[in-house]
Amino acid sequence: MRCGKMAAPPPPPPAGAAGAWGGVRRRCQRLLYWVPVLFISSILCWSYYAYVTQLCLLTMTNVGEKVVCLVAYHIFFMLFVWSYWKTIFTLPMNPSKEFHLSYSDKESLEREPRGESQQEVLRRAAKDLPIYTRTMSGAIRYCDRCHLVKPDRCHHCSVCDKCILKMDHHCPWVNNCVGFSNYKFFLLFLAYSLLYCLFIAATDLQYFIKFWTNGLPDTQAKFHIMFLFFAAAMFSVSLSSLFGYHCWLVSKNKSTLEVFRAPIFRHRTDKNGFSLGFSKNLRQVFGDEKKYWLLPVFSSLGDGCSFPTCLVNQDPEQASTPGGLNSTSKNENHLFPAKPLRDSQSHLLTDTPSWSETSAKAEKGKVGMSNPALTMENET
């Protein structure tokens, strides 16, 4: 029996074609990410038409009521759109260049096997950086995709494919990461959208009741009034719970990611490690000048790379009890970070009474342990 020749495998697709297909796929994904934003924008445009034209101009008969409702509505509408726009188009902040590994350090990490050599590279890169948190194994938080030592509260976003400073979450409704640069805008967006919906529901309620009691003429406005009330009431319920949750996060100086995974400091896991008390927690997000608090302009304190903590200093030469608690520490009432902070954040540490209040709420006498052995661990 004669053996036939084996068929040759098909030639691989040209590299240029594969790259072009990948580019098309990425562009399609980026377009799909805008669908939730377009949905919210279309609802907003319809609500403007339904409220201004159908309800105020065509249905309301009292001139004074028309004027008051139109003026108040446009104030809420402007603040809502302004804060929403800023949340969407404010670029997330990434770690500064000092957190990126040098070319020689990156070569060392790639060349050396996991072990003491890599520990030394990360130890040398992080020794002068204001970082206090570690991974679960006690290692320096390092991102192998961005090739940088992660600042505190920084996380790598899989959607944006970059490290985001003080990342809270990636929000599909704004097609953006919510982090240090736009967290205030996101809070104001929730607040003004909630006020917007509550105002529409409150002023539309009497006409909604007239709709069911046949008190309105049989026109197109009836259906706009009915759906306007339903939409405003439905969004009010969901927004109130979300806004309340983020208000609680601000009061505790936490992010959504930190609620699910408490930050791990060099001494231990501490879910309230960044909390400085309600007043200072609020000022970290909204700033010192109250005149800017209600406006979607950036006024948050700091640079997003360093944050004050409620750590207690510990003399490394002092003996400590098991678990890292030093019952005779002379500095147990002096709370300050173990690394220098940026100037824009350090003034939060000067108010001693507020720190003492924070200390009383925390476990008194809790101190930091000496640095554990650093092992390289990738964390996303």
Side-chain angles (χ1 to χ4, degrees):
M1 184 173 62
R2 187 174 62 181
C3 296
K5 292 183 178 180
M6 184 179 293
W21 170 248
V24 171
R25 185 177 59 182
R26 285 192 296 271
R27 283 192 291 270
C28 291
Q29 286 179 340
R30 285 198 291 266
L31 289 175
L32 288 176
Y33 289 151
W34 285 103
V35 170
V37 176
L38 294 176
F39 173 75
I40 295 295
S41 301
S42 61
I43 292 292
L44 188 61
C45 292
W46 167 78
S47 68
Y48 184 91
Y49 167 76
Y51 190 89
V52 173
T53 303
Q54 297 294 336
L55 179 61
C56 292
L57 298 181
L58 299 180
T59 304
M60 291 182 180
T61 56
N62 187 292
V63 177
E65 183 184 12
K66 282 185 180 182
V67 172
V68 171
C69 287
L70 285 173
V71 170
Y73 173 84
H74 281 91
I75 292 175
F76 289 127
F77 181 82
M78 180 192 68
L79 292 172
F80 177 15
V81 173
W82 186 8
S83 57
Y84 190 45
W85 178 274
K86 294 284 285 187
T87 306
I88 295 173
F89 294 104
T90 299
L91 295 177
M93 288 181 63
N94 312 121
S96 55
K97 61 180 181 181
E98 61 188 319
F99 289 90
H100 290 258
L101 295 186
S102 64
Y103 180 77
S104 59
D105 287 340
K106 284 190 287 187
E107 277 195 331
S108 299
L109 285 177
E110 294 172 358
R111 183 174 59 251
E112 300 292 339
R114 291 179 180 268
E116 184 60 32
S117 299
Q118 288 186 337
Q119 294 178 28
E120 185 58 34
V121 172
L122 293 179
R123 188 182 295 117
R124 182 173 61 251
K127 67 177 182 178
D128 295 324
L129 297 177
I131 56 174
Y132 324 128
T133 55
R134 299 290 186 264
T135 64
M136 295 182 67
S137 64
I140 291 288
R141 299 173 64 243
Y142 174 75
C143 180
D144 62 339
R145 294 184 65 87
C146 302
H147 303 291
L148 56 83
V149 175
K150 291 184 181 180
D152 292 338
R153 318 184 82 175
C154 173
H155 297 274
H156 188 90
C157 176
S158 58
V159 179
C160 300
D161 196 24
K162 60 181 66 176
C163 286
I164 308 297
L165 294 180
K166 197 188 176 184
M167 180 178 172
D168 187 88
H169 67 289
H170 186 93
C171 181
W173 299 108
V174 300
N175 190 27
N176 200 1
C177 260
V178 177
F180 175 76
S181 61
N182 62 352
Y183 188 62
K184 177 191 173 184
F185 306 148
F186 179 73
L187 283 172
L188 293 179
F189 156 62
L190 294 180
Y192 290 131
S193 58
L194 177 59
L195 290 175
Y196 178 80
C197 292
L198 290 174
F199 175 80
I200 289 178
T203 53
D204 187 40
L205 178 60
Q206 60 173 316
Y207 299 96
F208 176 76
I209 295 174
K210 289 181 180 179
F211 170 84
W212 291 105
T213 57
N214 296 320
L216 291 179
D218 191 12
T219 62
Q220 185 183 12
K222 290 179 62 174
F223 300 99
H224 286 286
I225 289 171
M226 180 185 69
F227 289 116
L228 189 63
F229 180 82
F230 276 130
M234 179 183 66
F235 280 108
S236 296
V237 172
S238 58
L239 286 169
S240 60
S241 58
L242 185 59
F243 178 62
Y245 172 70
H246 279 278
C247 286
W248 177 78
L249 290 180
V250 171
S251 69
K252 299 296 182 182
N253 205 341
K254 296 180 180 181
S255 67
T256 300
L257 294 177
E258 289 167 352
V259 170
F260 290 101
R261 179 186 293 181
I264 303 171
F265 295 89
R266 283 172 294 181
H267 58 295
R268 64 172 59 182
T269 299
D270 190 345
K271 63 181 181 180
N272 296 313
F274 291 107
S275 181
L276 311 178
F278 177 78
S279 176
K280 291 184 177 181
N281 293 343
L282 193 67
R283 285 163 53 195
Q284 270 201 353
V285 176
F286 290 95
D288 289 325
E289 298 190 53
K290 295 182 178 179
K291 62 183 179 181
Y292 297 123
W293 282 12
L294 299 180
L295 296 177
V297 294
F298 186 82
S299 59
S300 301
L301 298 181
D303 58 3
C305 292
S306 60
F307 299 89
T309 68
C310 56
L311 301 177
V312 182
N313 181 55
Q314 178 187 11
D315 186 347
E317 301 298 328
Q318 252 183 338
S320 58
T321 59
L325 297 179
N326 188 345
S327 59
T328 60
S329 174
K330 297 178 181 180
N331 296 320
E332 67 177 294
N333 290 326
H334 298 280
L335 303 176
F336 55 90
K339 294 279 187 180
L341 286 168
R342 307 299 196 276
D343 292 338
S344 56
Q345 285 281 35
S346 60
H347 77 279
L348 288 174
L349 307 179
T350 59
D351 188 0
T352 304
S354 178
W355 278 96
S356 300
E357 178 184 351
T358 306
S359 176
K361 294 181 180 178
E363 297 180 24
K364 197 167 184 179
K366 180 169 60 179
V367 297
M369 297 176 65
S370 58
N371 288 347
L374 301 180
T375 58
M376 179 176 175
E377 176 175 309
N378 298 331
E379 177 184 274
T380 58

